[in-house]
Amino acid sequence: MKIAIIYYSGTGCTEKMAEIIEDELSKNEDLDIILKEVKNAEREDIESSEIILFGSPALGPERVEEYVMEPYIQSTKELFKEKKFGLFGSYDWGDGKWMRDWVERMKDYGGIVHKDGCIVKLYPDEEDEIRIREYVKDII
């Protein structure tokens, strides 16, 4: 099974989450995992994957990063129908509204979203790492 982890990270917080997710999933030898910054992602990454994990920090008034991640999502959204998604990201202010909105949007695009996403305040600490690993353990 192929899994794509595609993320945007401005300060390294969401990148660290992506690395933790990749590490946890790599424990399953039956998975073909690709990890890419969104600027290097292609449509084929969505088309060829059974599960997609998108990561983005909350920016501005609690929204997904708007210059790289959001355009990628918009350019591939027709591929989301009945695909399984995990969403993750970091934030510094607010209460996670960006993630709740993102989950609903992905469902509106026809995606099957795993749980309610996974958020971490700033850089993931040891407790956050445990939560991130738990989030993806049953995504398959």
Side-chain angles (χ1 to χ4, degrees):
M1 174 182 292
K2 188 170 180 182
I3 297 180
I5 306 166
I6 299 170
Y7 69 93
Y8 173 86
S9 187
T11 62
C13 300
T14 303
E15 179 178 27
K16 179 63 177 176
M17 292 179 76
E19 291 168 354
I20 293 167
I21 288 168
E22 179 189 36
D23 182 66
E24 185 61 35
L25 292 174
S26 69
K27 293 175 182 178
N28 183 335
E29 294 177 4
D30 295 329
L31 300 178
D32 177 14
I33 303 164
I34 60 166
L35 174 66
K36 288 188 176 183
E37 288 184 62
V38 68
K39 68 182 181 184
N40 299 319
E42 300 171 2
R43 289 179 59 87
E44 180 185 303
D45 297 322
I46 303 294
E47 292 170 335
S48 65
S49 297
E50 286 84 6
I51 300 173
I52 298 97
L53 289 128
F54 278 148
S56 176
L59 295 178
E62 286 205 80
R63 64 178 176 249
V64 171
E65 191 279 328
E66 64 188 328
Y67 298 109
V68 185
M69 182 55 105
E70 186 60 34
Y72 181 78
I73 291 169
Q74 291 304 311
S75 71
T76 57
K77 68 183 178 184
E78 75 277 1
L79 304 174
F80 296 172
K81 189 170 177 138
E82 301 194 19
K83 290 268 190 181
K84 190 166 188 179
F85 286 90
L87 303 174
F88 64 95
S90 59
Y91 69 103
D92 186 16
W93 61 90
D95 67 355
K97 181 179 183 318
W98 110 97
M99 183 58 71
R100 292 189 300 275
D101 291 347
W102 197 10
V103 166
E104 287 308 310
R105 214 164 31 113
M106 296 302 284
K107 288 178 182 178
D108 289 345
Y109 296 149
I112 302 163
V113 182
H114 182 61
K115 300 181 180 178
D116 292 323
C118 182
I119 62 174
V120 168
K121 185 161 177 126
L122 299 172
Y123 197 83
D125 62 20
E126 289 178 16
E127 287 180 25
D128 295 325
E129 182 170 341
I130 291 167
R131 282 189 316 101
I132 295 163
R133 289 179 184 279
E134 287 298 316
Y135 175 71
V136 296
K137 274 186 180 176
D138 63 348
I139 198 165
I140 300 166

